[in-house]
Amino acid sequence: MLTKLILAIMPKLPQSFIWKFSKKYIVGKTLDKALEVSKSMNDDGYIITIDLLGEFIKDRSEAEQTKEDYLEIVEALHKHNIKGGISVKPTFFGLLIDEELCFTNIREVVRKANEYNIFVRIDMEDSSCTDRELEIYEKLHVEFPGIVGIVLQAYLHRTYDDIERLQKIHTTENPINIRLCKGIYIEDKSIAYQSYEDINNNFIKLLDKLFEIRAYVGIATHDKNLVKAAYELLEKHEVSKSLYEFQMLYGVETRLRKRIHNQGHLMKVYLPFGKDWFGYCVRRLQENPNMVSDIIKSIFK
Ligand SMILES: Cc1cc2nc3c(=O)[nH]c(=O)nc-3n(C[C@H](O)[C@H](O)[C@H](O)COP(=O)(O)OP(=O)(O)OC[C@H]3O[C@@H](n4cnc5c(N)ncnc54)[C@H](O)[C@@H]3O)c2cc1C
């Protein structure tokens, strides 16, 4: 009841109030702040991926701006010698306006990143984008070996088939690079698992398959049960350290993050930043009402 009420009034609440709990998960509003946090993460032994907040734009000029902003981020990562890369959302580059425009824009960013050997992850958005985002990845994976990766979502029924599809571009010299996560969007039960158990079982099945084919895997979860299962699969497949990393979102389950890092595994932290933090937080909360508990906690703190 309280959750529903908070979700309904959220867009009307003052931004300063929303910022109070959002700042735990958003590194800041400016690139300078994102670089500062990146450096301190690197100093603590983590690698990073920077995400400029924004998605589902409606205007071609916004897509152009996204490209320019990401080119600036790539230059800055290089200049400041940051260990890590960037994550991009194709709808922020105009996927829903013009697929060709989106591809050209992302390709330009990847070309620049490739000059500096900076890794680019294509985030996965809702299921209406899955095929198109896989196609973008397939093309860039072949053109820029070792520089680009994609995300697969364990809640989708189709994902095992998507791995088989991606095996066509997978080689030992240029392995496919997959971030495996549960998936954050609300999807219909006809195409997506809904329960915790079903999603986790599929996550483990997919991870098993990815390790078996020697893909590079970013194990993106804060779920202790999945981390434990991942450890078992790493041992089962004797996965080399050069073929996997763990990944977590900034501000989430930091104790678990430290533990995994201290146990000798590479850990990449996802750092969202940007002036669109408000819209991003409201959308995420509407998609994932479980996170409202954080707001409630912050109200009573
Ligand atoms: C690095 C990274 C990149 C991602 N990229 C994508 C993507 O491209 N596309 C996509 O659809 N999804 C993406 N996700 C989100 C992912 O799909 C899940 O929705 C999210 O990670 C929660 O799943 P979980 O495996 O952590 O397990 P859960 O069982 O959901 O969570 C485990 C624990 O972590 C806490 N937790 C998890 N997420 C959050 C959060 N955001 N804020 C506060 N607490 C949280 C939970 O409260 C719980 O205690 C990404 C996640 C990570 C870690």
Side-chain angles (χ1 to χ4, degrees):
M1 191 65 190
L2 189 53
T3 299
K4 273 195 180 149
L5 180 70
I6 287 186
L7 279 175
I9 60 168
M10 182 82 63
K12 297 180 184 71
L13 291 172
Q15 293 207 0
S16 54
F17 172 73
I18 304 275
W19 180 248
K20 263 175 76 154
F21 71 88
S22 301
K23 67 179 184 220
K24 188 177 160 203
Y25 305 112
I26 309 286
V27 299
K29 298 169 193 172
T30 63
L31 178 56
D32 281 348
K33 185 68 193 168
L35 292 169
E36 187 190 313
V37 175
S38 300
K39 269 191 226 153
S40 107
M41 285 281 165
N42 280 177
D43 290 346
D44 289 343
Y46 301 111
I47 49 172
I48 58 94
T49 184
I50 288 195
D51 168 51
L52 175 63
L53 293 172
E55 56 196 331
F56 297 105
I57 54 156
K58 296 190 179 72
D59 194 307
R60 297 178 79 89
S61 66
E62 286 179 85
E64 206 59 32
Q65 189 57 51
T66 305
K67 180 188 75 184
E68 293 303 326
D69 290 344
Y70 264 104
L71 288 172
E72 190 188 346
I73 297 169
V74 169
E75 284 292 349
L77 288 178
H78 172 66
K79 185 172 156 210
H80 294 272
N81 213 7
I82 302 289
K83 290 193 204 82
I86 53 172
S87 289
V88 300
K89 288 194 170 52
T91 62
F92 196 24
F93 284 79
L95 184 74
L96 302 182
I97 304 169
D98 177 344
E99 282 174 40
E100 205 44 52
L101 169 87
C102 170
F103 179 74
T104 309
N105 281 338
I106 294 184
R107 186 183 170 281
E108 204 169 319
V109 172
V110 172
R111 198 181 52 74
K112 172 60 72 188
N114 187 48
E115 277 175 30
Y116 300 140
N117 202 25
I118 287 174
F119 191 77
V120 181
R121 173 78 55 191
I122 301 166
D123 282 351
M124 186 56 78
E125 298 174 272
D126 69 42
S127 58
S128 69
C129 302
T130 311
D131 274 316
R132 287 174 286 180
E133 296 184 349
L134 286 174
E135 276 161 31
I136 294 173
Y137 172 59
E138 284 163 334
K139 288 195 243 172
L140 294 173
H141 171 84
V142 174
E143 188 178 354
F144 300 100
I147 286 293
V148 195
I150 185 76
V151 179
L152 293 176
Q153 297 153 323
Y155 63 11
L156 290 184
H157 298 162
R158 59 175 285 169
T159 300
Y160 194 88
D161 294 340
D162 286 337
I163 295 178
E164 293 194 324
R165 162 181 170 169
L166 292 176
Q167 275 188 266
K168 295 193 182 77
I169 54 161
H170 172 65
T171 62
T172 315
E173 299 74 44
N174 185 19
I176 51 170
N177 191 316
I178 308 295
R179 172 195 295 153
L180 182 64
C181 65
K182 290 190 184 185
I184 190 118
Y185 302 89
I186 302 286
E187 300 287 1
D188 192 79
K189 64 177 188 311
S190 61
I191 59 162
Y193 298 107
Q194 307 290 323
S195 74
Y196 174 84
E197 283 75 23
D198 287 347
I199 296 170
N200 276 25
N201 286 340
N202 202 38
F203 192 111
I204 293 166
K205 178 178 158 188
L206 299 169
L207 194 56
D208 194 40
K209 171 80 175 166
L210 289 168
F211 285 157
E212 183 194 302
I213 65 168
R214 297 294 189 231
Y216 186 98
V217 193
I219 310 158
T221 184
H222 319 90
D223 184 333
K224 290 183 190 71
N225 295 328
L226 287 182
V227 171
K228 184 166 172 278
Y231 280 1
E232 286 164 12
L233 290 175
L234 285 167
E235 217 171 282
K236 172 182 160 192
H237 292 281
E238 298 179 345
V239 183
S240 134
K241 285 221 184 285
S242 63
L243 275 180
Y244 77 93
E245 68 201 28
F246 282 86
Q247 299 186 356
M248 289 196 180
L249 302 174
Y250 179 73
V252 179
E253 298 292 339
T254 49
R255 275 200 302 197
L256 179 61
R257 182 177 87 200
K258 268 189 208 133
R259 199 161 73 227
I260 295 171
H261 169 68
N262 289 341
Q263 285 165 343
H265 305 281
L266 185 62
M267 172 64 78
K268 184 178 269 182
V269 183
Y270 188 101
L271 305 180
F273 90 98
K275 55 184 178 350
D276 186 35
W277 65 271
F278 183 72
Y280 172 85
C281 289
V282 171
R283 280 192 296 275
R284 283 293 96 85
L285 286 163
Q286 284 167 340
E287 276 154 11
N288 189 352
N290 294 338
M291 285 161 61
V292 169
S293 62
D294 273 358
I295 307 178
I296 297 170
K297 271 185 233 154
S298 94
I299 295 172
F300 294 111
K301 257 182 196 166

